[in-house]
């Protein structure tokens, strides 16, 4: 693959991706897919997200409402779209790649309080829009192309400052250095037997009314657009027909880079930026091989993800994708089902999990569903089913073992019972030492971002990683109480991973169980379709062994 370097210290190239008609069209997936395509073309690419909500970050927002909170290596709590970007791109992102209205307004107000504006009246234009543009330009260092996704939908009042800022960017950096891409929906009316283009026409009209003429239209639909439909859309939106891109529903999001490449989106971007022609073809062999493997998968294990956010498919997005990445690598199509922890009891646990070959207890906060998760963990331990506990899932594995093996029936986390006589999970960091009158801030007060762990030789986790030191991302407040480690280990529990900084317990496992591993970190954030995470591969391998064993017993 050729390595093109075409920018100088004064020139950067930006692609702004906006959405129209309805929300949840997949701007993040389009942004990441286009980034992957441009990377395959030899460019250095990065992505960022502009979110219009007033929250400083999504850290205190409910996953039920907003989807998962994605954590970057440097500890930023961000929108889930940054997960899409990282899964498609080779390089990982930082906190400056996630910008919210709350951050922008807070920065401007702080500058106003310091007197930086020399007594001027502080306004949305130019002060807010200038700050947005400054943040956009700040992420472009050592990068050829910056893809910027604007959250929300055109017409949303919250998005107007961002849209005005990206409109001004073309004047700020030059016409040829900015590409506007607008993503819309073309609904199919079954009773009329027609694909309707009018919503897209109105969406582009709305964009043009604020001064932005899309250069490329990406049209989501149930089926591929016919040529006459593309011509009609182009005519009424002032977009060349070749720049009306059809993206039909697909069975795998990892096909999208190939869909865009087939319609020469990368060439259209390159032509607009007036970049030199490539001396080598776009290298998409890795993505083509991935899709081929995904297409040829054979039936694999059934996996239960135990959680409490069952009405939002995005609440466990990275976790589900990490399982899929491992499934493709192993060539086994895994059936994933999210189980409501509140439905699990000692009376229902057998019937719920009898047909699953592995159980993942996901991370989370709050007391709701905790007892159900503990029941699921106990069942997996006693039935020798592969178990994988992540973050809270690991903590509850400690609680379950303490209650049922150490015979400490009131063992708990102080998150759920501050008065427990056996706090096997508790606050150990500086939050524990605060004064009673000091308020607890819920945002940005956790162990966040990438930390190093040392793994015990001879442990399962060491065998999985084939390494003695690893780096994974964290997002939690509570830790395993060190006072209970000795009695736990005396009963077969194994602490097999400790943090580099304070020696906190970050990995636990059971010596005599085929696969019972809990980790305090979130390995799903480090899984990519082309580079799946080894923990998920190991877990699914053991789950598939369970399935095979059960099939043999049945015959």
């Amino acid at each position: 693959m050729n390595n093109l370097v075409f920018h100088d210290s004064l020139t950067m190239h930006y692609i702004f991706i906006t959405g129209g008609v309805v929300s949840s069209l997949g701007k993040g997936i389009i942004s990441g897919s286009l980034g992957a395509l441009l990377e395959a073309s030899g460019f250095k690419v990065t992505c960022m997200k502009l979110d219009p909500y007033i929250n400083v970050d999504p850290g205190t927002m409910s996953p039920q409402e907003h989807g998962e909170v994605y954590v970057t290596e440097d500890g930023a709590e961000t929108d889930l779209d940054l997960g899409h970007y990282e899964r498609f791109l080779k390089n990982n992102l930082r906190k400056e790649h996630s910008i919210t209205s709350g951050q922008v307004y807070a920065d401007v107000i702080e500058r106003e309080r310091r007197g930086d504006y020399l007594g001027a009246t502080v306004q949305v234009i130019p002060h807010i829009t200038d700050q947005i543009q400054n943040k956009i330009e700040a992420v472009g260092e050592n990068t050829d192309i910056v893809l910027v996704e604007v959250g929300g939908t055109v017409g949303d009042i919250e998005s107007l400052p961002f849209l005005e800022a990206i409109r001004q960017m073309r004047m700020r950096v030059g016409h040829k250095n900015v590409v506007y891409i607008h993503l819309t929906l073309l609904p199919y009316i079954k009773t009329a037997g027609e694909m309707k283009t009018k919503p897209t026409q109105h969406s582009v009209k709305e964009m043009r009314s604020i001064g932005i003429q899309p250069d490329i239209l990406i049209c989501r639909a149930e089926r591929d657009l016919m040529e006459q439909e593309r011509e009609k859309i182009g005519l009424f939106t002032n977009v060349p027909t070749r720049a009306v891109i059809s993206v039909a529903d697909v069975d795998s999001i990892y096909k999208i880079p190939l869909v865009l490449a087939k319609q020469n989106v990368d060439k259209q971007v390159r032509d607009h930026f007036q970049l030199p022609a490539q001396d080598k073809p776009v290298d998409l062999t890795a993505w083509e091989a991935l899709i081929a493997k995904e297409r040829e998968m054979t039936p694999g294990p059934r996996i239960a993800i135990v959680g409490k956010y069952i009405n939002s498919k995005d609440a466990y997005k990275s976790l589900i994708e990490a399982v899929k990445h491992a499934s493709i690598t192993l060539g086994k199509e895994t059936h994933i089902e999210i189980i409501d922890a509140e439905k699990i009891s000692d009376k229902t646990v057998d019937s719920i999990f009898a047909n699953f070959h592995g159980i993942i207890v996901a991370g989370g906060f709050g007391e709701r569903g905790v007892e159900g998760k503990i029941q699921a963990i106990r069942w997996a331990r006693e039935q020798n089913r592969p178990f994988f506990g992540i973050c809270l899932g690991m903590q509850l594995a400690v609680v379950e073992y303490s209650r049922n093996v150490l015979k400490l029936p009131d063992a708990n986390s102080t998150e759920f019972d501050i008065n427990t006589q056996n706090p096997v999970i508790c606050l150990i960091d500086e939050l524990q030492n605060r004064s009673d009158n000091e308020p607890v801030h819920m945002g940005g007060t956790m162990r966040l971002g990438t930390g190093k762990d040392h793994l015990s030789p001879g442990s399962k986790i060491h065998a999985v990683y084939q390494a003695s030191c690893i780096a994974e991302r964290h997002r939690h407040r509570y830790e395993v109480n060190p006072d209970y480690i000795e009695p736990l280990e005396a009963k077969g529990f194994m602490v097999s991973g400790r943090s580099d900084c304070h020696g906190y317990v970050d990995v636990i496992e059971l010596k005599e169980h085929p696969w019972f591993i809990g980790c305090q970190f979130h390995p799903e954030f480090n899984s990519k379709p082309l580079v799946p995470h080894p923990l998920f591969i190991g877990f699914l391998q053991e789950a598939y062994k369970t399935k095979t064993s059960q099939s043999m017993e049945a015959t």
Side-chain angles (χ1 to χ4, degrees), residues 139-153:
V139 305
E141 185 177 354
N142 298 318
T143 302
D144 299 325
I145 299 173
V146 180
L147 290 99
V148 183
E149 176 192 348
V150 181
T153 305

Side-chain angles (χ1 to χ4, degrees), residues 365 395 426-429 431 440-447 475-479:
F365 297 89
Q395 296 174 7
C426 61
L427 288 172
I428 302 178
D429 58 16
L431 291 181
V440 174
H441 293 284
M442 301 302 290
T445 57
M446 293 181 281
R447 194 170 151 205
R475 183 179 182 249
H476 62 95
R477 292 188 180 88
Y478 291 80
E479 307 283 352

Side-chain angles (χ1 to χ4, degrees), residues 201-221:
Q201 295 176 39
H202 282 292
S203 184
V204 174
K205 181 180 178 181
E206 185 74 18
M207 288 292 291
R208 293 170 68 182
S209 72
I210 59 177
I212 298 175
Q213 166 62 52
D215 301 297
I216 297 174
L217 271 181
I218 295 183
C219 301
R220 286 287 315 278

Side-chain angles (χ1 to χ4, degrees), residues 130-255:
D130 282 355
Q131 184 68 2
I132 293 169
Q133 292 173 74
N134 292 339
K135 287 180 175 291
I136 292 171
E137 290 187 327
V139 305
E141 185 177 354
N142 298 318
T143 302
D144 299 325
I145 299 173
V146 180
L147 290 99
V148 183
E149 176 192 348
V150 181
T153 305
V154 61
D156 294 345
I157 191 170
E158 298 94 341
S159 299
L160 288 176
F162 285 126
L163 295 174
E164 173 61 19
I166 70 170
R167 181 194 69 80
Q168 294 177 17
M169 281 292 290
R170 179 163 270 179
M171 295 184 292
R172 181 165 171 156
V173 302
H175 184 278
K176 73 180 184 65
N177 297 319
V178 170
V179 168
Y180 296 119
I181 294 179
H182 193 54
L183 176 64
T184 71
L185 174 70
L186 274 74
Y188 179 73
I189 309 300
K190 292 183 179 180
T191 54
E194 289 183 291
M195 189 87 75
K196 292 298 183 180
T197 66
K198 191 66 70 177
T200 293
Q201 295 176 39
H202 282 292
S203 184
V204 174
K205 181 180 178 181
E206 185 74 18
M207 288 292 291
R208 293 170 68 182
S209 72
I210 59 177
I212 298 175
Q213 166 62 52
D215 301 297
I216 297 174
L217 271 181
I218 295 183
C219 301
R220 286 287 315 278
E222 293 183 14
R223 60 163 175 80
D224 287 319
L225 300 183
M226 294 183 289
E227 186 64 20
Q228 60 267 35
E229 291 169 331
R230 295 173 66 235
E231 291 175 353
K232 179 181 178 180
I233 292 169
L235 177 65
F236 283 98
T237 60
N238 202 32
V239 174
T241 301
R242 64 179 176 83
V244 178
I245 308 302
S246 174
V247 177
D249 294 343
V250 291
D251 56 0
S252 170
I253 60 173
Y254 302 118
K255 290 181 178 179

Side-chain angles (χ1 to χ4, degrees), residues 14 32 39 48 63 69 81 125 145 149 158 186 270 298 375 392 406 417 423 450 453 455 459 484 505:
Y14 301 93
E39 275 191 341
M48 71 181 301
V69 175
D81 279 317
I125 302 172
I145 299 173
E149 176 192 348
E158 298 94 341
L186 274 74
R270 194 169 59 247
T298 57
Q375 288 287 347
L392 178 61
L406 293 187
D417 182 2
T450 295
D453 284 299
L455 306 182
S459 63
Y484 291 84
V505 174

